[in-house]
Amino acid sequence: MTAFSDTRPRHLLDFQGWSTERLTAILDNADTMLSVLDRPVRKVPALQGLTVCTVFFENSTRTRISFELAARRMSADVVSFAASSSSLSKGESLRDTIETLTAYKVDAFIVRHEASGAAHRVAQFSGKPTINAGDGRRAHPTQALLDAYTIRQEYGDLAGRNVTIIGDVRHSRVARSNTELLTRLGANVTLCGPATLLPRDLAGERVTLTTDARTAVKGAHTVMALRLQTERMDAGYLGSLPEYIQGYQVNEALMEHAEPGAIVLHPGPMNRDLEISADTADGPRSRILKQVENGQAVRMSVLYHLLVGRA
Amino acid sequence: MTITITNIRRPNSDTPETLTIENGLIKGWNLPAEGETIDGNGATVAPALLELHAHLREPGQEVKEDLASGLAAAAAGGYGTVVCMPNTSPVIDDPALVRALIEKADALGFARLKPSAALTKGQQGKQLAELSLLREAGAVMFTDDGRTNEDARVLRLGLEYAHSLGMVVSVHAEDATLRADGVMNEGAVSEALGLPGNPAAAEAARVARDIEIAALTGARLHVQHLSTARALDLVRDAKARGVPVTCEVCPHHLTLTDEALRGFDPMFKVAPPLRTQVDAEHLLAGLLDGSVDCLATDHAPHTRAEKEQDMLHAPFGIPSIEVAFPLMWTQFGEVLGLERLLHLFTGGAARVMGWPEPTLDAGQPADLVLLDLDTARPVTPAEFRSKAKFSPWAGQELRGWPTLTVVGGRVAYRR
């Protein structure tokens, strides 16, 4: 039995209040969950009788499916709430929405929302265990956990590993959550992107900022490309997409400057040949599909941790 | 009609005195009691507070607030006069609407209403409103508050026209393009929270521009709700150069900082945003050295449901008119002293408007407030007269609560 230095967190909104030991335990348990996914019958009874509700105010089919499968593989009942087809469009408040769902005796919420902090509000309004499946630019903790898991799977340990994250860092909850988690697990993180997409205030201990991609990947064991929303160009953050590609695309030429054997990650969905070249995305360095597979196992581990044995 | 208020003290005096009011005016001090007698219970008496910046939401958004609830709230906060903002629906840019609002408010008997009117038609920032007719109807100030004056030329024309009428133009000084989609102060906290930031430079840049236009025209410019140290420095420098500019600061910018946003509660979402501790301390210094002319609440009521949205979708603004004085007295009474604090709530605001400083001398209008400076009571939003029954300071123990507000010789609020 692992001893934890924190009290058992009720929610996974970000990593505040989560001890490093507890986060490591979630990664350790994901090994077991991954083995469940390899069985002929990919189902265990751990969450039988519990109902998990995915509440997606922002579209994301992949993440929702990943969470829903994770819950179902542990025998939970799953219901989904999609904001676009809901009474939110009729003006119902976030509080009313969540209180109504809570009254249906839902046991846990999985929330995605375009506004930073919305998952915190859901947790306050529902009082039920809440998992942040991505809120605004703020946090995407399970993505960071699955990324850490994937890197750990490759190298055994994160201590001293160099992870470079390239792209639209400013608007990226993936970058924020990864930076926090990876540095806590002992990795060094380099954030890279054009100055307009690279907020200065994110620099810190073991976190380096640079606008030069070659400098950024030097010594990197892992390079993560972030999705670039093409609207950023119209909003004035970029001169042109070709200019961005030339400066920041993760491709074979850029990876030449990384450590030999360095792996490439992408949180998906990808813009092939924009932030990442197709040959790199499909090449031997890529662990992108591995991330997807690991995501389900990590989410099973998180659900197990938050819901099993909870009075 | 005569009222005698006994057992009250003037600021910084221990002597109990009696004040007599007759037909809406102060009759005199320490006269023999006559008419209705009210025991002041030793409270401190002062001219009623003067609010230059409140959103009363009528017409069009009465679900948030209306004249009855807003002016009752003002009276409960110790205010005798309220300048309301014109960003209603429709916008207050029509002389008939100004007249109708004043007439309705007069009949209510709470705080006096002095409407401001839009500087430009529909607050669109393009064509000047009928400024002279609006003044004739009773508008006391012109402003496109709620919007920023993006077109510098239109602001120049508005200042020139208003100046010719002897009127003040007040501005929401914020560069909307630099503010962009910011919902809180831009800085370390906004980056940590992943919320779009509004840089201090958005305010400073616009204040600098507007000061230049005031200098160019010689017209009276009033800068609303200053929130940053840098913008205050610009105002201070402009005043030293003789530019006719005044400014106000809100209690929430003095008592809260962007750290309050860490819980993602849109209760703390205001425009301009809560800034840093450095900014708050700088603004306080501005109250002390006189570079800030007055305190204004920017009372901005919303429905609870609107404020229970997420940080991106919830509207900007908090109700504060009922707690402004107790908040400032409790937090900064010792630093500022009672006299200066009262000046910031009364005489300072009057001076901005070009009105005589209110006094409690015989013959003056009987607009006064009794303040209990000693008894601590919690902020209880459920008891607010405002329709917006929530507050960032809910539960906080404050002193300095108004116990009686008299407007034009009538009791407008009594606790």
Side-chain angles (χ1 to χ4, degrees), chain A residues 87-88 91-98, chain B residues 304-306 308-309:
Chain A
S87 38
L88 278 185
E92 188 180 47
S93 79
L94 179 63
R95 180 181 195 141
D96 288 336
T97 302
I98 297 304
Chain B
R304 184 182 283 274
E306 287 173 304
E308 284 173 347
Q309 299 293 342

Side-chain angles (χ1 to χ4, degrees), chain B residues 42 103 109 111 170 344 360 382:
Chain B
E103 202 172 302
S170 78
L344 288 162
L360 296 179

Side-chain angles (χ1 to χ4, degrees), chain A:
Chain A
M1 183 76 185
T2 315
F4 296 108
S5 59
D6 58 344
T7 54
R8 182 171 174 164
R10 193 165 171 74
H11 314 289
L12 179 63
L13 305 174
D14 47 42
F15 298 122
Q16 268 180 36
W18 284 74
S19 66
T20 305
E21 303 99 292
R22 197 178 286 276
L23 293 168
T24 305
I26 284 185
L27 299 181
D28 293 343
N29 284 343
D31 289 337
T32 313
M33 301 304 176
L34 206 55
S35 71
V36 170
L37 298 178
D38 285 335
R39 294 178 196 170
V41 177
R42 291 180 281 273
K43 200 154 189 164
V44 291
L47 302 185
Q48 202 157 32
L50 298 180
T51 304
V52 171
C53 184
T54 56
V55 190
F56 275 50
F57 296 93
E58 186 184 81
N59 289 333
S60 169
T61 312
R62 294 152 174 254
T63 304
R64 187 168 56 76
I65 288 176
S66 177
F67 268 110
E68 290 184 4
L69 280 176
R72 288 203 171 101
R73 299 216 190 280
M74 302 177 78
S75 304
D77 293 317
V78 177
V79 289
S80 300
F81 176 90
S84 52
S85 59
S86 78
S87 38
L88 278 185
S89 51
K90 300 174 195 163
E92 188 180 47
S93 79
L94 179 63
R95 180 181 195 141
D96 288 336
T97 302
I98 297 304
E99 285 182 348
T100 301
L101 292 169
T102 307
Y104 288 139
K105 308 295 180 197
V106 164
D107 296 293
F109 286 97
I110 295 162
V111 187
R112 169 164 287 200
H113 201 291
E114 64 182 317
S116 302
H120 288 67
R121 302 290 278 166
V122 170
Q124 282 168 6
F125 295 146
S126 72
K128 298 290 180 185
T130 302
I131 298 170
N132 182 0
D135 65 335
R137 310 173 184 182
R138 161 72 169 159
H140 195 351
T142 59
Q143 176 71 42
L145 283 163
L146 77 89
D147 291 338
Y149 184 79
T150 307
I151 301 169
R152 210 173 77 148
Q153 209 171 37
E154 196 70 29
Y155 297 107
D157 192 3
L158 278 152
R161 296 291 164 186
N162 300 322
V163 180
T164 297
I165 301 175
I166 301 183
D168 181 1
V169 176
R170 177 182 293 274
H171 300 98
S172 175
R173 53 196 173 214
V174 174
R176 277 185 180 73
S177 281
N178 263 295
T179 300
E180 183 172 357
L181 180 65
L182 295 174
T183 52
R184 274 175 60 175
L185 296 174
N188 305 305
V189 173
T190 300
L191 301 171
C192 175
T196 48
L197 297 175
L198 193 66
R200 289 164 295 176
D201 289 309
L202 288 183
E205 198 181 341
R206 286 219 287 269
V207 184
T208 310
L209 266 56
T210 175
T211 55
D212 184 81
R214 286 187 179 192
T215 307
V217 299
K218 197 164 189 294
H221 301 101
T222 300
V223 175
M224 182 188 301
L226 297 175
R227 176 177 167 77
L228 182 75
Q229 288 192 281
T230 48
E231 306 92 273
R232 300 288 178 233
M233 204 184 84
D234 297 332
Y237 289 98
L238 301 169
S240 74
L241 294 181
E243 183 195 47
Y244 178 84
I245 290 167
Q246 189 175 323
Y248 299 100
Q249 184 184 73
V250 175
N251 53 33
E252 291 308 300
L254 184 68
M255 290 306 293
E256 285 294 307
H257 300 272
E259 284 291 289
I263 60 168
V264 169
L265 303 179
H266 190 298
M270 281 183 287
N271 296 301
R272 278 170 186 272
D273 292 324
L274 204 175
E275 72 265 4
I276 187 165
S277 69
D279 55 348
T280 299
D282 299 330
R285 300 171 183 281
S286 173
R287 297 294 179 274
I288 296 170
L289 288 175
K290 204 76 186 154
Q291 285 175 278
V292 177
E293 183 184 345
N294 291 340
Q296 208 179 126
V298 164
R299 286 169 179 135
M300 287 167 76
S301 180
V302 168
L303 282 165
Y304 183 86
H305 195 91
L306 286 177
L307 292 179
V308 175
R310 169 98 45 203

Side-chain angles (χ1 to χ4, degrees), chain B residues 33-379:
Chain B
E34 55 177 319
E36 184 192 351
T37 302
I38 296 173
D39 183 352
N41 293 312
T44 297
V45 65
L49 311 184
L50 173 51
E51 166 67 291
L52 294 190
H53 191 158
H55 297 271
L56 299 185
R57 306 301 189 198
E58 187 172 339
Q61 295 176 308
E62 287 86 349
V63 65
K64 296 172 190 258
E65 194 83 287
D66 57 26
L67 290 188
S69 64
L71 293 172
Y79 289 90
T81 300
V82 174
V83 176
C84 65
M85 293 293 112
N87 60 334
T88 48
S89 180
V91 164
I92 304 176
D93 62 359
D94 175 352
L97 182 52
V98 172
R99 277 193 203 94
L101 289 172
I102 295 171
E103 202 172 302
K104 185 169 178 186
D106 282 349
L108 289 168
F110 299 119
R112 292 175 201 273
L113 182 70
K114 302 274 189 187
S116 66
L119 182 68
T120 62
K121 282 185 181 157
Q123 294 191 309
Q124 296 294 310
K126 294 186 176 121
Q127 190 181 354
L128 294 186
E130 298 169 308
L131 303 185
S132 63
L133 297 181
L134 287 162
R135 186 192 66 157
E136 228 169 76
V140 296
M141 178 195 266
F142 298 120
T143 179
D144 280 347
D145 178 49
R147 304 262 188 134
T148 55
N149 301 96
E150 293 308 301
D151 189 324
R153 181 177 160 276
V154 171
L155 179 64
R156 174 198 177 155
L157 298 176
L159 276 164
E160 286 173 339
Y161 205 118
H163 190 50
S164 74
L165 302 170
M167 299 277 279
V168 177
V169 171
S170 78
V171 287
H172 180 133
E174 191 175 51
D175 185 312
T177 61
L178 204 48
R179 173 191 68 198
D181 58 353
V183 297
M184 66 174 293
N185 181 53
E186 180 175 312
V189 180
S190 70
E191 285 306 341
L193 299 183
L195 285 168
N198 171 349
E203 181 174 86
R206 181 49 58 86
V207 167
R209 184 200 80 170
D210 290 358
I211 283 170
E212 289 308 313
I213 301 173
L216 172 71
T217 57
R220 279 275 293 104
L221 175 81
H222 178 64
V223 183
Q224 301 175 339
H225 46 46
L226 263 192
S227 67
T228 61
R230 180 68 196 126
L232 178 56
D233 284 344
L234 289 163
V235 169
R236 189 184 278 125
D237 292 348
K239 285 183 167 185
R241 284 193 286 136
V243 180
V245 56
T246 53
C247 69
E248 70 191 28
V249 163
C250 304
H252 52 265
H253 287 125
L254 293 154
T255 56
L256 300 166
T257 70
D258 58 357
E259 291 289 337
L261 272 302
R262 286 199 185 272
F264 294 104
D265 189 343
M267 176 84 80
F268 299 97
K269 182 178 173 184
V270 288
L274 301 176
R275 304 289 186 179
T276 65
Q277 188 61 33
V278 170
D279 289 301
E281 286 169 12
H282 208 84
L283 296 179
L284 182 62
L287 299 187
L288 279 163
D289 70 16
S291 41
V292 174
D293 297 88
C294 65
L295 287 158
T297 67
D298 193 7
H299 175 74
H302 295 287
T303 65
R304 184 182 283 274
E306 287 173 304
K307 275 300 208 185
E308 284 173 347
Q309 299 293 342
D310 58 81
M311 275 297 292
L312 296 188
H313 296 100
F316 293 93
I318 46 171
S320 53
I321 204 161
E322 287 173 76
V323 297
F325 185 84
L327 196 63
M328 290 299 299
W329 171 245
T330 306
Q331 296 230 14
F332 305 116
E334 280 187 21
V335 186
L336 291 166
L338 181 59
E339 220 160 315
R340 175 165 287 275
L341 188 56
L342 285 172
H343 174 76
L344 288 162
F345 274 104
T346 56
R351 212 184 286 173
V352 166
M353 299 300 292
W355 297 340
E357 286 199 31
T359 68
L360 296 179
D361 296 338
Q364 293 298 308
D367 285 14
L368 58 92
V369 61
L370 300 194
L371 300 162
D372 177 358
L373 300 179
D374 302 316
T375 310
R377 280 180 45 226
V379 176

